[in-house]
Amino acid sequence: MDPKNIWITFPELLTWFPLVAGLVAFMIREEKKVKAWALTASLITLGISVASLVYADNAKYFYLNNVSYYWLKYLGSNLTLGIDGMGHLLTALTAIAFPIIFIATGKTTYKNAGAFYGLMLLTQSGLMGVFTAMDVLIFYFFWELAVIPAYFLCSRWGGERRIQATFKFFVYTFAGSLLMLVGIMYVYLHTYPTPFAEHSFAMNAFYSATLTAKEQSWLFWLFFVAFAIKMPVFPFHTWQPDTYEQAPAATTMVLSGIMVKMGVFAVIRWIVPIFPDAVNQFDNIVIGLSVVGMIYASLIAIKQDDLKRFVAYSSIAHIGLMCAAIFAKSSIGLQGVMIQMFSHGINIIGMWIVVDLVEKQTGTRKISELSGVAHKAPALTIFLVVIALANIALPLTNAFVGELMMFSGLFRFNMLYTAVALLSIILAAVYTLNMVQKVFYGEANPVTGTMQEISQGQKLVLSVLLVLIFLFGVFPQPLFDLTKDTVSAIVLRFK
């Protein structure tokens, strides 16, 4: 294919279309119309993502998935976007998640709905940009574009304690972004010149920056803290339960299902290739923090009485395993991380949808006040049980393959870490089955006595998630094929 005949590429469409759609949404006053517009825009974005996947493995269509043109050329920064295997995986997750979220929360009413859906679509644009950026300055731009709308979504449409929660969220993310920016500027000054500038923000220029082991050792922490906050990894996690609890349901799904993957993605995309010596130097510290966080979050989850905080802490445990597997530095572990990023996104969004449906019907999220939901909503219970079992990686579900591979990678690194981390599986089964037993089984009480079965539309949305859970649980090969080249390239940086 002649690149001269291509006037727009998939990464451009994936980033700019939600951005334009979001700006249009701000101007739509009627709530029904803006909901229809947001859903339509998200479905078109999903169609673009599917079309980009068709060309994922075909070299002659390289030009459809990569683009670069001048932006700040005298600073050495170009608007360079590209979709490799990991980018395909996460742009697909983002594209799948938004229409599901819009449908699942479609009955929720928002004051100034145009602004709400506009900010949601801007967040999607920022996420797409993060996952396709091949220039560090562009990556930083989209990183902020994804976070800032999320801040306003939480602070304006959140719960009673939204101001306190979003202030903590802002302080954490702003501090992380500032540290990352300092690190970016230092590495930039150690890159090679371009025809127009003394240095470059290009991804390959950063990969080949001349940094000593000592420089890598402190630059590593500037980047890692920023990304650890976003994942979040212990002890940088304290903003997460409060923000998830206070954010509107749709935003919580985006934060938990997709935005936390920004941190995991960024560690693989930027830290491992730029600071390989520092990764080898600090691998035990990071894995130790991750494993401690897994056990700590699992124990806290057991004691939780609020369903939102329960799901939040369970998510911290799963993300901790991903972080540990990256620093275990094996191809099998890294492949597991790739698969688990996608699987965790699907499963955790499903959990949030069920929590939101229960809260809307009963008016409470307290586990101690709920009982016997299965008697009133058997279909919802079936969906919840399957999603919950997938979330704890039951065989034949999507998370099983990824977790098995991550534990295999961790085992090759250190058996003690693996033994401790495996305790989180037992704890996950305990807190999940305990929650299912208390909320969904037993006798219905006055709080759940008026519950009704979920609608056909809600069943359809949850059915889509179940199809993905079993499809990639039984046949994960497409995910392997999609990410194998990315994994091979990253593993070479470990050596």
Side-chain angles (χ1 to χ4, degrees), residues 158-173:
E160 293 180 356
R161 295 190 297 107
R162 63 186 182 279
I163 301 301
Q164 179 185 351
T166 51
F167 179 74
K168 185 188 286 189
F169 173 65
F170 173 78
V171 170
Y172 268 83
T173 54

Side-chain angles (χ1 to χ4, degrees), residues 225-289:
V225 170
F227 302 153
I229 289 171
K230 194 62 62 192
M231 285 190 262
V233 170
F234 178 87
F236 306 102
H237 67 284
T238 59
W239 65 270
Q240 193 222 44
D242 293 337
T243 305
Y244 285 11
E245 181 186 17
Q246 294 300 314
T251 307
T252 303
M253 294 174 199
V254 173
L255 290 172
S256 181
I258 312 168
M259 199 167 285
V260 296
K261 310 305 183 301
M262 283 170 48
V264 182
F265 167 88
V267 169
I268 299 171
R269 173 73 86 214
W270 302 110
I271 286 184
V272 172
I274 300 175
F275 313 116
D277 293 338
V279 169
N280 288 325
Q281 182 180 356
F282 298 120
D283 50 9
N284 276 288
I285 295 175
V286 174
I287 292 175
L289 288 175

Side-chain angles (χ1 to χ4, degrees), residues 59-115:
K60 77 176 183 178
Y61 293 107
F62 170 83
Y63 294 105
L64 284 172
N65 283 313
N66 293 274
V67 65
S68 180
Y69 43 84
Y70 290 130
W71 181 45
L72 300 173
K73 64 180 182 181
Y74 296 110
L75 284 178
S77 176
N78 295 324
L79 209 162
T80 306
L81 304 174
I83 313 180
D84 62 357
M86 185 166 59
H88 270 300
L89 194 73
L90 292 171
T91 54
L93 173 64
T94 307
I96 291 170
F98 270 79
I100 287 176
I101 292 169
F102 287 150
I103 295 172
T105 60
K107 292 184 178 179
T108 305
T109 57
Y110 302 99
K111 186 178 181 180
N112 196 356

Side-chain angles (χ1 to χ4, degrees), residues 10-336:
F10 288 124
E12 289 173 286
L13 287 170
L14 288 171
T15 51
W16 303 137
F17 180 75
L19 180 68
V20 173
L23 295 176
V24 172
F26 278 101
M27 295 182 280
I28 301 175
R29 299 297 179 190
E30 191 175 331
E31 183 168 4
K32 188 176 180 181
K33 288 183 179 177
V34 76
K35 285 182 175 178
W37 168 252
L39 177 59
T40 304
S42 65
L43 289 171
I44 292 173
T45 304
L46 176 59
I48 297 168
S49 178
V50 172
S52 74
L53 283 167
V54 172
Y55 301 113
D57 295 325
N58 197 328
K60 77 176 183 178
Y61 293 107
F62 170 83
Y63 294 105
L64 284 172
N65 283 313
N66 293 274
V67 65
S68 180
Y69 43 84
Y70 290 130
W71 181 45
L72 300 173
K73 64 180 182 181
Y74 296 110
L75 284 178
S77 176
N78 295 324
L79 209 162
T80 306
L81 304 174
I83 313 180
D84 62 357
M86 185 166 59
H88 270 300
L89 194 73
L90 292 171
T91 54
L93 173 64
T94 307
I96 291 170
F98 270 79
I100 287 176
I101 292 169
F102 287 150
I103 295 172
T105 60
K107 292 184 178 179
T108 305
T109 57
Y110 302 99
K111 186 178 181 180
N112 196 356
F116 180 86
Y117 284 98
L119 289 169
M120 285 287 287
L121 290 169
L122 291 185
T123 302
Q124 187 183 30
S125 173
L127 290 164
M128 291 294 191
V130 166
F131 298 141
T132 58
M134 298 291 175
D135 178 287
V136 181
L137 202 57
I138 296 298
F139 168 80
Y140 187 80
F141 167 77
F142 281 116
W143 181 276
E144 297 300 322
L145 179 61
V147 171
I148 292 173
Y151 167 78
F152 286 108
L153 286 165
C154 298
S155 62
R156 190 166 179 184
W157 288 275
E160 293 180 356
R161 295 190 297 107
R162 63 186 182 279
I163 301 301
Q164 179 185 351
T166 51
F167 179 74
K168 185 188 286 189
F169 173 65
F170 173 78
V171 170
Y172 268 83
T173 54
F174 179 73
S177 295
L178 194 61
L179 292 174
M180 178 170 55
L181 184 60
V182 172
I184 287 173
M185 294 311 301
Y186 189 92
V187 179
Y188 167 74
L189 295 174
H190 291 75
T191 58
Y192 55 71
T194 73
F196 302 101
E198 293 185 9
H199 303 287
S200 172
F201 284 102
M203 182 177 75
N204 288 332
F206 266 58
Y207 283 9
S208 57
T210 53
L211 298 170
T212 65
K214 187 176 181 180
E215 288 172 320
Q216 286 191 33
S217 65
W218 64 268
L219 284 165
F220 169 90
W221 289 107
L222 294 182
F223 281 79
F224 180 76
V225 170
F227 302 153
I229 289 171
K230 194 62 62 192
M231 285 190 262
V233 170
F234 178 87
F236 306 102
H237 67 284
T238 59
W239 65 270
Q240 193 222 44
D242 293 337
T243 305
Y244 285 11
E245 181 186 17
Q246 294 300 314
T251 307
T252 303
M253 294 174 199
V254 173
L255 290 172
S256 181
I258 312 168
M259 199 167 285
V260 296
K261 310 305 183 301
M262 283 170 48
V264 182
F265 167 88
V267 169
I268 299 171
R269 173 73 86 214
W270 302 110
I271 286 184
V272 172
I274 300 175
F275 313 116
D277 293 338
V279 169
N280 288 325
Q281 182 180 356
F282 298 120
D283 50 9
N284 276 288
I285 295 175
V286 174
I287 292 175
L289 288 175
S290 302
V291 172
V292 168
M294 291 169 64
I295 303 302
Y296 164 80
S298 299
L299 292 172
I300 298 293
I302 291 175
K303 295 293 184 182
Q304 286 305 305
D305 191 40
D306 185 295
L307 280 172
K308 274 194 166 184
R309 298 183 75 86
F310 166 85
V311 179
Y313 279 105
S314 74
S315 180
I316 292 173
H318 289 107
I319 295 295
L321 179 57
M322 292 185 213
C323 187
I326 294 171
F327 284 83
K329 300 176 293 186
S330 68
S331 59
I332 188 170
L334 196 58
Q335 184 74 74

